[in-house]
Amino acid sequence: MRTATAWSVVATGLLTGLLLGDGVGVNLVIIAIPAVLAAFFAAQTAGRRPRPWTLIWSVGAVAMLVVPALRDATWPSLLAVLGALALGSLALHGSGDTWRGALLGAVGLIGAVPSGVSWGWKGVRQRAGGSRDRWWPVVRTAAVAVALLVVFGALFAGADAAFADLLGGLIPELSVVDGPLRFLLFVVGVLGALAAARTAVAPYRWDRIETTPGRARGRVEWALPLIVLNVLFAAFNLVQLTVLFGGYDKVLSETGLSYAEYARQGFWQLLWATLLTLVVIAFALRWAPRGRQSDGALVRGVLGTLCLLTLVVVVSALRRMDLYVDAYGLTRLRLSVFGMELLLGVVIVLIMVAGVRGAVSSSGGRGAGWLPRAVLASGGVAVLSFGLLSPDGLIADQNVKRYERTGKIDLVYLQGLSADAVPALDRLP
């Protein structure tokens, strides 16, 4: 462990204890600076050099930390912080070539905490073993300087109110009650910086784990259930197109549902249908037939059709949510699931592109490394855009517009929004 790495770890802990107890905001960006330096110095010592995707993940992680500095709402800030940790972990591990590397690499930093503590302790002991004559005088000198500052600073503060006010502005306000919390935050900062530095030195290479592919099924055994599923999707989509072009009045009169009930009834089921379709595709690729040369065309044809039909389901779900919002107004939950459905649609499109290019391997193997990275990058862009969009401000704006159009508004719900909603709410009478 280099001295620069050790001091960066200590600085991360001190800044975490001093700043994070007062709130998140821009403090996260400040705390991230020494943590990034600790990883950089450790990687430099180990001879590691950043690759293009490492820099992309790193920039994305830092960009996500800007969201808490710009937004007052907690929920998009929490998503951004979790996204920053995931992208930072990917940057340190250098993962993303495979689905396994992408998923496990995004959470691998958490598992590096114990090894980071062990690595840090060994590094400190090695550096302190033969250098007592160098660091012990520094510790003694620092202790004497701090004691003198405390004693004479207290005397001068008692002698002059202006000087006391100056010291009060320079020294952070700490209390005995905040002590345990500040110490806990200090420990968390040190542990996080140590885990990042340790991972930067020697990351666990999730991309290199080899697993046996799933047993290939017969063409009929594999394709028949999926073809039946495609027929079901096609029938559902045909009904949706009939409703779209034939109007809702006939359907509502036959079902006995109101306009809003019809919209609310279907969205959640369609969201689950989209999610389960991705699971079906994953297992279908693992067990796909691969004995003949024409098997690849069969797999792409059947799964491509399923993806295309699923996109129609995504459009139908988004349309239903639009009707739902028009009837009841926009809320945090409705906006979140709307964004989730959009992201799932993007993932399905990426899978279709990969199938056309032959990147999705029917054997469940590596395939092309761009697909897992593209999906992760799409998720990162979605989380960052969601935070920068100011969700609470958008919710307030849509509800104010709805009030101006219909005279209906839920003031009780709007009172629970963050300060991000104030500019839109100021338009209300």
Side-chain angles (χ1 to χ4, degrees):
M1 179 189 290
R2 287 174 56 183
T3 304
T5 304
W7 282 116
S8 298
V9 169
V10 173
T12 304
L14 290 175
L15 289 176
T16 304
L18 291 174
L19 300 180
L20 210 56
D22 296 328
V24 183
V26 74
N27 292 339
L28 278 177
V29 180
I30 299 174
I31 293 168
I33 294 174
V36 171
L37 289 176
F40 172 76
F41 292 135
Q44 193 177 51
T45 305
R48 291 189 67 198
R49 296 293 180 266
R51 296 186 295 174
W53 274 100
T54 301
L55 297 176
I56 293 175
W57 298 136
S58 301
V59 171
V62 175
M64 285 192 182
L65 293 181
V66 177
V67 173
L70 299 178
R71 298 287 167 246
D72 179 60
T74 303
W75 57 305
S77 297
L78 178 61
L79 281 176
V81 171
L82 294 176
L85 290 175
L87 294 186
S89 181
L90 283 171
L92 292 169
H93 284 87
S95 300
D97 292 343
T98 64
W99 289 109
R100 187 178 299 103
L103 297 176
L104 296 180
V107 297
L109 192 59
I110 300 175
V113 172
S115 60
V117 173
S118 175
W119 174 78
W121 176 247
K122 291 178 181 178
V124 170
R125 289 183 60 186
Q126 288 174 358
R127 295 200 63 84
S131 59
R132 178 182 175 87
D133 294 337
R134 291 198 303 269
W135 61 263
W136 180 241
V138 176
V139 173
R140 284 201 311 256
T141 303
V144 173
V146 169
L148 292 175
L149 285 175
V150 170
V151 173
F152 285 94
L155 291 174
F156 289 146
D160 188 279
F163 187 76
D165 185 65
L166 176 63
L167 284 181
L170 295 176
I171 301 175
E173 295 183 6
L174 300 177
S175 64
V176 177
V177 177
D178 292 338
L181 175 61
R182 303 277 183 176
F183 178 75
L184 177 61
L185 292 174
F186 169 79
V187 172
V188 170
V190 169
L191 293 179
L194 282 175
R198 172 65 179 84
T199 305
V201 169
Y204 196 87
R205 304 311 299 265
W206 301 104
D207 288 333
R208 298 179 182 176
I209 297 178
E210 296 292 340
T211 56
T212 56
R215 184 172 66 86
R217 309 291 177 174
R219 303 182 73 173
V220 175
E221 180 186 2
W222 178 86
L224 184 59
L226 294 175
I227 292 175
V228 172
L229 183 61
N230 283 341
V231 172
L232 177 63
F233 270 64
F236 176 80
N237 290 335
L238 182 61
V239 172
Q240 298 304 295
L241 293 175
T242 303
V243 172
L244 179 63
F245 292 107
Y248 288 91
D249 295 336
K250 184 175 184 299
V251 176
L252 298 182
S253 62
E254 292 178 354
T255 59
L257 298 175
S258 67
Y259 181 78
E261 288 173 341
Y262 179 78
R264 178 175 56 185
Q265 179 196 47
F267 175 79
W268 297 103
Q269 290 88 337
L270 297 183
L271 177 63
W272 277 108
T274 308
L275 285 169
L276 290 176
T277 300
L278 293 176
V279 176
V280 169
I281 292 173
F283 280 102
L285 285 171
R286 180 170 176 80
W287 294 326
R290 45 187 178 268
R292 305 178 188 174
Q293 191 173 4
S294 58
D295 287 338
L298 174 65
V299 171
R300 287 192 295 271
V302 174
L303 294 184
T305 303
L306 180 59
C307 288
L308 189 61
L309 293 172
T310 305
L311 280 181
V312 181
V313 173
V314 170
V315 174
S316 177
L318 294 176
R319 175 57 180 158
R320 293 209 182 199
M321 178 53 70
D322 182 60
L323 296 174
Y324 193 18
V325 169
D326 185 64
Y328 290 103
L330 189 61
T331 64
R332 289 174 170 176
L333 179 61
R334 293 162 196 168
L335 181 60
S336 300
V337 296
F338 188 90
M340 181 65 179
E341 186 71 28
L342 272 178
L343 179 60
L344 291 175
V346 171
V347 172
I348 292 173
V349 171
L350 290 173
I351 293 175
M352 292 177 65
V353 173
V356 172
R357 297 180 57 182
V360 178
S361 173
S362 60
S363 63
R366 176 179 293 269
W370 70 267
L371 181 58
R373 287 171 174 160
V375 172
L376 285 172
S378 301
V381 171
V383 172
L384 180 60
S385 302
F386 190 73
L388 297 179
L389 186 66
S390 183
D392 279 8
L394 179 61
I395 291 168
D397 179 72
Q398 292 297 317
N399 281 280
V400 170
K401 289 180 179 178
R402 178 172 174 266
Y403 169 76
E404 294 170 346
R405 187 176 67 254
T406 65
K408 299 178 181 180
I409 192 168
D410 188 349
L411 292 178
V412 176
Y413 182 82
L414 295 180
Q415 288 175 353
L417 298 179
S418 65
D420 300 333
V422 170
L425 297 181
D426 274 346
R427 304 203 312 264
L428 290 173

